[in-house]
């Protein structure tokens, strides 16, 4: 081996994926590579659609540019490009712009394919890199999608605020000088109230109130708010649900940074789902609620083609179910009278995580005040049956396990609910662990927010012992991913006579559920209060003793499987719900699906190692 070859061998040996491969793989790469000097003058000649190649940068600086002339990423020493076309067989769409001349190693398709066949780690590296590239490009387009943008990207920063001892006159003058229709009232940099133009009209001028009084006399105390990193879609839902037109925006530290108005959001609105949710919240009869619900399937079909992130449909469907539930509760109380004691309608499972699909069923319950009478119990029994029956009529199926507010065990007083959770945690039997999977995904829908907060604070304070976590980890590991010998898919079959036609993989049971279970376990262990899987992962990623790579891998797997699952449901491919036939996938999609299952299996093993080593 020459000095140059030795030096090249050392470079590759420190370079992924060769650092994990046998020296024979490196030797093969060296033997078959071409060494080119890439400059601005010759950059175009190396990208041939009919002859894709793998490129590895040794020196220089280059921009990868898409057909819209947007820079995707900047590449430097150790970076690869060209592999998406080698993996997918698609034509080369991107181009390279040389920022600084340098040396690049080139490997042709046949030699790349040889290394893929002979070395699984080599193939896994580039399949994963391609999946990450797709996701990266995918989410860079979010700013073009109104519903997926962050609040902070839409609003104008700069909170217009006054202290609580300011006068009403001062508030009006400041609003006029700032050109705004609302103002926040803050104390020690914390939001305590809001005043709007409407308040000045209805609470001051119309009632002839002295404008020299302090603002606390007319402000809306403890107003609704939203965090800066939440999505625009979430703001739409919140404003429609509570019929508000000004929404304070806070940092994660609860510091006010601006105001979002209904006008700001209406400028962004380009789709019917939000209008549908608005109509549901204003429906004046059960018949109208059901009529609006009939629009959901067709609306989702169209909406799915307008959004880059199809997993947003989970939030949309959960938002629609929330709206249907809230309106049915309102209509019940309009007919039978208001509840005499505080109550809270809660949801569990996929609705709580805001991850519903077209085939999700109901998972809900009623949280009741402890000082309830027998007559009041009868009222809430009737309420539960009314809402659940009408939700089913709206297309939200009854829960096969009867986890619904129409069922007596799901209508409990606060202390009874807490005692039930305590029992599941202290005695983690198989049935208790199953209940924990369902009930520990929990979210407020309607009723007393104070009662719900009290409940959640009690749940968080229930001590979880090692036996509980070990039991959950062991249970998670019992559910295997559908990959068998020689990295082949393990398919399930229907009982019909055409086995090939009806082979499938259950993406929910064998993939999404496992991720949800893993993330829920970590969230419980680290007292993360978020309900949504991605939000839980984002919170976990901020913790110092969590492996960030593992978190990002789970996020990518969850997104990929969720989008694949929803796409199958929307396209109505004639398979059991949540299932997919891998024969209908492209070669690249099959590789990505196998890689996702591989990463999920690794995460399962990590959970067992962390929580259940001593119990196996």
């Amino acid at each position: 081996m020459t000095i140059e070859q030795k030096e090249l061998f050392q470079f590759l040996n420190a370079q992924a994926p060769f650092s994990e491969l046998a020296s024979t793989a490196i030797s093969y790469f060296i033997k078959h590579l071409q060494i080119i000097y890439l400059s601005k003058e010759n950059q175009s000649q190396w990208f041939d659609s009919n002859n894709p190649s793998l490129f590895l940068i040794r020196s220089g600086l280059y921009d990868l540019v898409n057909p819209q002339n947007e820079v995707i990423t900047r590449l430097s020493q150790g970076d690869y490009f060209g592999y998406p076309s080698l993996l997918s067989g698609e034509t080369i769409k991107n181009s390279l712009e040389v920022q600084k001349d340098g040396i690049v190693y080139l490997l042709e398709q046949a030699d790349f394919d040889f290394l893929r066949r002979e070395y699984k780690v080599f193939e896994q590296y580039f399949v994963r890199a391609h999946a990450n590239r797709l996701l990266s490009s995918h989410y860079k387009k979010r700013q073009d999608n109104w519903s997926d943008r962050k609040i902070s990207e839409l609003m104008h920063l700069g909170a217009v605020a006054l202290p609580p001892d300011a006068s009403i006159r001062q508030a009006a003058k400041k609003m006029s000088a700032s050109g705004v229709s609302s103002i926040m009232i803050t104390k020690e940099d914390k939001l305590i109230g809001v005043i709007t133009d409407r308040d000045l009209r209805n609470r001051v001028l119309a009632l002839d109130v002295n404008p020299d009084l302090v603002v606390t006399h007319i402000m809306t105390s403890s107003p609704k708010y939203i965090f800066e990193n939440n999505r625009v879609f979430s703001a739409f839902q919140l404003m429609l649900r509570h019929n508000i037109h000004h929404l304070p925006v806070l940092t994660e530290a609860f510091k006010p940074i601006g105001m979002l108005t209904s006008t700001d959001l209406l400028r962004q609105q380009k789709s019917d789902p939000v209008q549908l949710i608005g109509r549901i919240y204003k429906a004046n009869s059960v018949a109208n609620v059901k009529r609006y619900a009939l629009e959901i399937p067709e609306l989702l079909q169209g909406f799915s083609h307008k959004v880059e992130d199809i997993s947003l449909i989970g939030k949309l469907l959960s938002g629609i179910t929330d709206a249907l539930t809230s309106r049915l509760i309102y209509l019940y109380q309009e007919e039978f009278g208001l509840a005499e004691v505080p109550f809270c309608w809660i949801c569990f499972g996929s609705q709580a995580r805001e991850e519903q699909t077209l085939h999700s069923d109901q998972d809900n319950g009623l949280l009741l005040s402890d000082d309830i009478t027998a007559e009041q119990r009868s009222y809430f029994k009737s309420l539960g049956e009314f809402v659940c029956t009408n939700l089913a009529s709206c297309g939200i199926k009854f829960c096969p396990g009867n986890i619904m507010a129409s069922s007596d065990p799901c209508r409990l007083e606060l202390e009874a609910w807490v005692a039930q959770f305590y029992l599941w945690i202290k005695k983690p039997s198989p049935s208790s662990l199953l209940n924990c999977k369902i009930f520990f995904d929990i979210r407020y829908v309607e009723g007393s927010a104070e009662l719900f907060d009290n409940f959640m604070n009690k749940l968080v304070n229930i001590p979880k012992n090692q036996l509980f976590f070990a039991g959950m980890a062991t249970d998670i590991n019992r559910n295997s991913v559908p990959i068998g010998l020689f990295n082949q898919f393990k398919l399930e079959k229907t009982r019909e006579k055409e086995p090939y036609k009806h082979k499938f993989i259950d993406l929910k049971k064998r993939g999404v559920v496992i991720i949800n279970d893993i993330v829920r376990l970590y969230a419980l262990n680290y007292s993360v209060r978020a309900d949504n899987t991605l939000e839980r992962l984002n919170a976990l990623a901020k913790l110092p003793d969590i492996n960030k790579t593992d978190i990002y891998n789970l996020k990518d797997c969850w997104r990929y499987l969720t989008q694949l699952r929803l796409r199958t449901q929307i396209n109505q491919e004639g398979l059991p719900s949540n299932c997919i036939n891998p024969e209908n996938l492209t070669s690249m999609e099959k590789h990505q699906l196998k890689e996702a299952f591989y990463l999920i299996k690794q995460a399962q093993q990590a959970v067992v190692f962390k929580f259940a080593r001593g119990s196996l």
Side-chain angles (χ1 to χ4, degrees):
M1 186 180 291
T2 65
I3 295 176
E4 291 79 6
Q5 287 176 323
K6 286 182 179 179
E7 195 272 337
L8 178 53
F9 188 95
Q10 290 175 351
F11 169 73
L12 291 171
N13 196 39
Q15 172 77 30
F18 294 104
S19 56
E20 301 178 42
L21 297 176
S23 60
T24 51
I26 303 176
S27 299
Y28 182 91
F29 187 89
I30 293 173
K31 183 177 180 181
H32 293 86
L33 65 78
Q34 298 179 48
I35 301 176
I36 60 176
Y37 183 78
L38 202 56
S39 65
K40 291 183 178 180
E41 289 72 29
N42 69 2
Q43 62 186 21
S44 60
Q45 75 181 67
W46 295 105
F47 288 88
D48 183 356
S49 295
N50 298 318
N51 187 28
S53 301
L54 176 70
F55 299 86
L56 170 59
I57 297 173
R58 181 61 192 270
S59 62
L61 201 61
Y62 315 88
D63 284 343
L64 195 62
V65 180
N66 67 16
Q68 290 74 45
N69 207 32
E70 299 168 331
V71 175
I72 299 173
T73 187
R74 173 155 289 187
L75 305 170
S76 58
Q77 185 183 79
D79 288 330
Y80 296 93
F81 60 95
Y83 55 85
S85 296
L86 292 172
L87 293 169
S88 65
E90 297 176 356
T91 57
I92 297 172
K93 297 177 182 178
N94 301 324
S95 59
L96 204 67
E97 290 185 358
V98 176
Q99 301 302 318
K100 182 180 179 182
D101 299 355
I103 301 294
V104 175
Y105 303 138
L106 180 153
L107 192 70
E108 294 185 345
Q109 173 93 60
D111 300 315
F112 179 82
D113 290 343
F114 173 83
L115 289 172
R116 283 180 65 188
R117 289 193 305 270
E118 296 296 319
Y119 302 97
K120 180 174 175 56
V121 172
F122 182 90
E123 178 178 60
Q124 285 179 336
Y125 176 85
F126 287 104
V127 168
R128 193 179 305 178
H130 184 42
N132 290 338
R133 172 75 60 78
L134 287 175
L135 283 165
S136 176
S137 300
H138 189 78
Y139 288 99
K140 281 182 180 177
K141 298 176 183 176
R142 283 195 305 185
Q143 62 268 25
D144 299 326
N145 170 23
W146 67 270
S147 55
D148 207 22
R149 294 178 66 186
K150 288 183 178 180
I151 299 297
S152 57
E153 297 173 6
L154 175 64
M155 60 167 287
H156 297 290
L157 293 175
V160 180
L162 280 175
D165 59 355
S167 70
I168 298 170
R169 190 189 306 277
Q170 286 177 303
K173 285 184 176 181
K174 186 156 188 177
M175 287 165 64
S176 177
S178 303
V180 296
S181 56
S182 60
I183 192 167
M184 288 184 274
I185 309 304
T186 59
K187 184 177 181 180
E188 297 177 354
D189 227 10
K190 299 294 183 183
L191 177 71
I192 63 169
V194 165
I195 293 176
T196 68
D197 277 342
R198 182 179 295 183
D199 295 328
L200 294 176
R201 292 195 306 270
N202 297 342
R203 300 179 182 179
V204 181
L205 294 176
L207 301 178
D208 201 24
V209 169
N210 183 353
D212 292 321
L213 291 175
V214 293
V215 290
T216 52
H217 279 81
I218 65 161
M219 74 179 188
T220 298
S221 301
S222 303
K224 302 295 180 184
Y225 57 83
I226 198 164
F227 293 114
E228 60 178 324
N229 290 323
N230 283 11
R231 294 177 176 181
V232 171
F233 181 76
S234 299
F236 258 117
Q237 284 185 283
L238 189 61
M239 295 173 85
L240 283 169
R241 179 173 186 168
H242 298 284
N243 193 28
I244 54 180
H245 303 277
H246 299 81
L247 191 60
V249 182
L250 313 182
T251 67
E252 297 291 338
F254 292 89
K255 179 181 179 181
I257 56 172
M259 184 78 76
L260 196 66
T261 69
S262 55
T263 304
D264 294 329
L265 296 180
L266 287 171
R267 292 193 191 105
Q268 303 297 316
Q269 186 174 335
K270 299 176 184 177
S271 201
D272 288 336
V274 172
Q275 295 177 10
L276 174 62
I277 292 173
R279 292 201 301 275
I280 291 172
Y281 275 120
K282 295 177 182 178
N284 57 10
S285 68
V286 173
N288 277 339
V289 170
K290 293 178 180 179
R291 181 164 62 85
Y292 296 144
L294 292 174
E295 301 177 27
I296 295 172
E298 183 178 353
L299 181 128
L300 288 175
Q301 182 77 29
F303 185 67
S304 66
H305 297 299
K306 296 178 182 179
V307 294
E308 291 293 335
D309 182 4
I310 199 172
S311 65
L312 181 64
I313 290 176
K315 277 189 173 289
L316 173 61
L317 278 168
S318 301
I320 291 174
T321 304
D322 286 357
L324 293 169
T325 303
S326 295
R327 201 56 186 174
L328 288 169
I329 292 171
Y330 171 85
L331 292 170
Y332 178 86
Q333 294 195 97
E334 191 176 57
E335 182 175 354
F336 298 102
L338 296 176
E340 296 178 353
V341 293
F343 76 96
C344 179
W345 188 282
I346 49 183
C347 63
F348 309 107
S350 60
Q351 185 185 352
R353 297 192 306 272
E354 296 182 286
E355 295 166 10
Q356 282 189 284
T357 71
L358 291 169
H359 301 305
S360 293
D361 52 44
Q362 297 183 45
D363 285 314
N364 50 54
L366 273 166
L367 170 64
L368 307 174
S369 174
D370 284 322
D371 54 348
I372 191 171
T373 66
E375 184 179 352
Q376 291 162 348
R377 287 181 194 279
S378 178
Y379 172 94
F380 288 114
K381 176 180 174 64
S382 178
L383 170 64
E385 291 171 347
F386 175 86
V387 174
C388 292
T389 299
N390 284 299
L391 281 176
S393 299
C394 291
I396 317 298
K397 298 178 293 185
F398 286 124
C399 172
N402 210 22
I403 299 172
M404 296 179 293
S406 55
S407 171
D408 291 344
C410 292
R411 290 191 314 277
L412 298 175
E413 298 93 321
L414 186 148
E415 290 301 331
W417 272 115
V418 173
Q420 185 64 75
F421 274 82
Y422 185 88
L423 183 63
W424 292 332
I425 291 171
K426 292 303 174 187
K427 297 182 179 180
S429 65
S431 61
S432 295
L433 292 172
L434 177 61
N435 285 329
C436 287
K437 289 181 181 182
I438 299 169
F439 289 96
F440 267 113
D441 294 335
I442 183 171
R443 185 167 58 81
Y444 165 92
V445 176
E446 190 60 71
S448 170
E450 183 180 356
L451 182 63
F452 181 76
D453 288 341
N454 190 12
F455 175 50
M456 292 305 295
N457 288 333
K458 287 179 178 291
L459 287 190
V460 169
N461 290 326
I462 296 177
K464 287 107 180 153
N465 57 41
Q466 188 58 41
L467 184 62
F468 169 71
F469 288 122
M472 291 196 75
T474 303
D475 185 70
I476 289 169
N477 204 48
R478 290 193 183 103
N479 188 4
S480 60
V481 297
I483 297 292
L485 292 174
F486 308 112
N487 204 35
Q488 297 300 305
F489 289 122
K490 293 170 65 176
L491 302 181
E492 299 179 53
K493 299 178 183 178
T494 62
R495 296 180 180 178
E496 299 179 27
K497 293 182 180 180
E498 301 174 80
Y500 181 80
K501 181 179 179 181
H502 297 284
K503 289 181 179 179
F504 60 86
I505 291 174
D506 189 330
L507 293 177
K508 177 185 176 182
K509 180 179 179 182
R510 300 299 183 186
V512 176
V513 163
I514 300 175
I515 297 175
N516 290 341
D517 290 347
I518 291 170
V519 176
R520 184 188 305 107
L521 175 54
Y522 278 103
L524 285 171
N525 183 61
Y526 290 99
S527 300
V528 171
R529 287 285 295 266
D531 299 302
N532 179 265
T533 299
L534 290 182
E535 290 173 5
R536 284 172 169 171
L537 284 166
N538 288 335
L540 290 168
K542 297 176 182 178
L543 300 176
D545 53 343
I546 292 286
N547 187 303
K548 303 299 185 290
T549 301
D550 292 344
I551 294 296
Y552 298 143
N553 285 340
L554 284 174
K555 286 173 69 174
D556 286 350
C557 291
W558 187 92
R559 284 169 174 158
Y560 181 73
L561 293 178
T562 297
Q563 297 204 46
L564 202 55
R565 175 188 176 197
L566 285 168
R567 188 186 75 187
T568 304
Q569 291 182 358
I570 290 168
N571 293 340
Q572 298 179 342
E573 297 180 6
L575 294 167
S577 61
N578 303 303
C579 296
I580 191 168
N581 181 354
E583 295 304 317
N584 296 334
L585 303 178
T586 66
S587 175
M588 190 65 246
E589 286 173 332
K590 290 178 185 176
H591 280 297
Q592 290 171 333
L593 186 56
K594 288 179 181 179
E595 180 64 15
F597 288 138
Y598 172 78
L599 291 172
I600 293 170
K601 186 175 182 179
Q602 282 189 321
Q604 283 180 290
Q605 293 169 345
V607 161
V608 170
F609 183 79
K610 180 175 178 63
F611 294 104
R613 276 179 293 176
S615 62
L616 293 179

